[in-house]
Amino acid sequence: MDGRMRPRAEGEAEGVARAWLSGVCEPGDEAAWRLVARLGAEGAVEAIRGGRVPGGSGITEKKLAGWRMRAEAFDLDGVLFLAEKVGGRILCPGDPGWPTTLDQLGEGAPLMLWLRGRGDLRQLCLRSVAVVGARAASPYGRRVAAELGAEMAERGWTVVSGGALGIDGEAHRGALAADGVTVAVLANGVDVPYPPRHEGLFAEISRTGLLVSEWPPASHPTRPRFLVRNRVIAALTKGTVVVEADLRSGALNTAHRARDLGRHLMAFPGPVTSIMSRGCHDLLRATPPATRLVTCAEDVIEEIGRIGEGLDRPDDRPVLPRDHLDPDSRSVLEAVPSGPSGAPTHAIAASAAVDLPTARSRLALLAATGFVDRTRTGWRLRPSP
């Protein structure tokens, strides 16, 4: 590519310009936001390519040189091709599906978003909650996250998280197990499965919900990008729940972002002997109190929902994610053996009394949500963590 923008059709110049900027200016860079606010996206691109930014913009020669160096290596046509290949699309401020809550980030607001999936991000986030926490989560934290994700999804709430190992992944799986919708906000391209073991999970999320990123396809995560990503998770949702976190967990960064934006901030308590709950306890102990202690989905909904919502607390609430599976999925899951060899799809279908297409689709969902594994000889239950 020669570095020039080439709009695909009339009216797409704005989106293509912002796509170019997403690969040249690191997301969250307030200087880039100010340049776009002043010149427009197309004007900002021309200014960067020409090495001439307006006086008084506050952009240093060093920053401009860095942008131009990245521009030389950035293949816009290539990333647009990759996005199209995985069913990705561009969402810009002012588009019908743009969540206006992101604009509350001010000069730190995203210039655009890359999406993979069929959902309308704005509509999905009207009733949404962020569920975040530690990657190295304990069995307690994993169970709480999965149950919370399932119960919130069952009540019509979109579960938003970061797609990471541990708490994030369990919250996504819980929502999917309840046939709900979940959104993963990534610190890498929507075509990059990171962590790799979540490739199946991301495929299932994109089928029913959305993968969201500020970085173009083929981008890989870095430590700073996770922290930059967290502000989007906090801004998209009505509130943030920290399930489990140590004192240096990145989940606390999301919590602080939510607090600064005036969102509801909640935390689950854990054992006082658990290192992985120290961050939650620190949030709950803060003075003045800014974090609400929660222990179940009803507590969360009471905090972020409409007045009176969440006050009905049934006594027979399910306690495991599998309780939220649909009848066919439960039947198929019961027919999957626990031994190392596994069973073929047709045998599972016969045992579960479902047809072969239903067995295939339910096994794919159960694999994506962490219930089963596929072996050389068939399907088997995934060992409990």
Side-chain angles (χ1 to χ4, degrees):
M1 180 181 172
D2 61 4
R4 299 274 175 182
M5 294 186 309
R6 291 198 290 273
R8 275 33 183 189
E10 184 179 357
E12 291 188 1
E14 175 77 7
V16 173
R18 288 178 182 265
W20 187 89
L21 289 167
S22 76
V24 173
C25 306
E26 193 68 16
D29 190 332
E30 295 183 359
W33 189 95
R34 289 193 295 268
L35 187 64
V36 172
R38 183 168 180 175
L39 302 178
E42 295 178 77
V45 171
E46 295 301 326
I48 294 171
R49 287 212 321 263
R52 296 182 299 274
V53 296
S57 62
I59 297 172
T60 64
E61 290 294 330
K62 181 179 179 180
K63 180 175 287 290
L64 181 59
W67 285 345
R68 298 191 71 195
M69 184 174 295
R70 289 182 66 163
E72 292 177 4
F74 182 58
D75 179 6
L76 176 60
D77 286 335
V79 299
L80 290 174
F81 172 78
L82 289 174
E84 184 177 1
K85 186 177 180 181
V86 299
R89 52 195 166 94
I90 292 169
L91 183 67
C92 297
D95 287 348
W98 181 263
T100 55
T101 54
L102 291 175
D103 300 333
Q104 296 172 16
L105 290 167
E107 295 183 353
L111 294 177
M112 56 85 66
L113 294 171
W114 297 86
L115 305 183
R116 178 182 170 192
R118 301 178 181 177
D120 182 304
L121 183 61
R122 182 176 180 276
Q123 290 297 320
L124 291 180
C125 290
L126 291 176
R127 272 173 63 88
S128 64
V129 62
V131 180
V132 298
R135 289 176 172 81
S138 70
Y140 159 81
R142 290 175 179 273
R143 175 174 176 174
V144 168
E147 289 180 6
L148 180 62
E151 292 174 359
M152 294 300 295
E154 189 178 57
R155 290 158 174 78
W157 288 81
T158 300
V159 176
V160 179
S161 197
L165 297 174
I167 298 301
D168 291 14
E170 295 303 323
H172 290 307
R173 291 188 182 97
L176 291 172
D179 282 335
V181 179
T182 184
V183 172
V185 184
L186 309 176
N188 45 267
V190 294
D191 64 326
V192 176
Y194 184 88
R197 71 178 72 174
H198 279 181
E199 183 173 8
L201 175 63
F202 292 148
E204 187 65 22
I205 290 174
S206 68
R207 188 181 70 81
T208 59
L210 281 173
L211 301 178
V212 179
S213 179
E214 292 181 79
W215 288 270
S219 299
H220 290 270
T222 63
R223 188 180 298 272
R225 287 179 175 179
F226 287 111
L227 297 179
V228 171
R229 175 275 311 271
N230 290 345
R231 79 197 197 290
V232 174
I233 295 176
L236 283 175
T237 53
K238 298 290 186 183
T240 292
V241 183
V242 184
V243 172
E244 194 174 51
D246 197 356
L247 292 173
R248 292 181 59 83
S249 172
L252 298 184
N253 175 263
T254 308
H256 296 149
R257 292 280 193 173
R259 180 196 60 198
D260 294 343
L261 288 167
R263 302 293 196 271
H264 295 280
L265 179 57
M266 296 150 281
F268 273 80
V272 295
T273 55
S274 173
I275 292 175
M276 298 313 301
S277 288
R278 292 192 302 182
C280 293
H281 297 160
D282 199 52
L283 288 173
L284 294 168
R285 193 171 54 247
T287 304
T291 308
R292 181 63 63 93
L293 186 151
V294 293
T295 61
C296 59
E298 285 79 8
D299 289 348
V300 174
I301 294 173
E302 185 178 346
E303 187 73 7
I304 65 176
R306 298 184 300 272
I307 295 176
E309 189 176 5
L311 296 180
D312 53 326
R313 299 171 180 267
D315 295 329
D316 57 344
R317 289 173 295 168
V319 296
L320 293 173
R322 67 191 298 154
D323 295 329
H324 297 277
L325 295 172
D326 62 88
D328 283 343
S329 294
R330 284 199 298 270
S331 297
V332 170
L333 181 59
E334 291 297 329
V336 178
S338 58
S341 58
T345 304
H346 65 83
I348 293 173
S351 179
V354 298
D355 57 47
L356 202 55
T358 298
R360 290 196 187 101
S361 66
R362 296 297 89 184
L363 284 168
L365 173 62
L366 292 169
T369 51
F371 287 102
V372 302
D373 287 319
R374 189 167 196 170
T375 69
R376 292 183 178 179
T377 55
W379 297 91
R380 67 181 179 90
L381 292 176
R382 178 171 295 181
S384 299

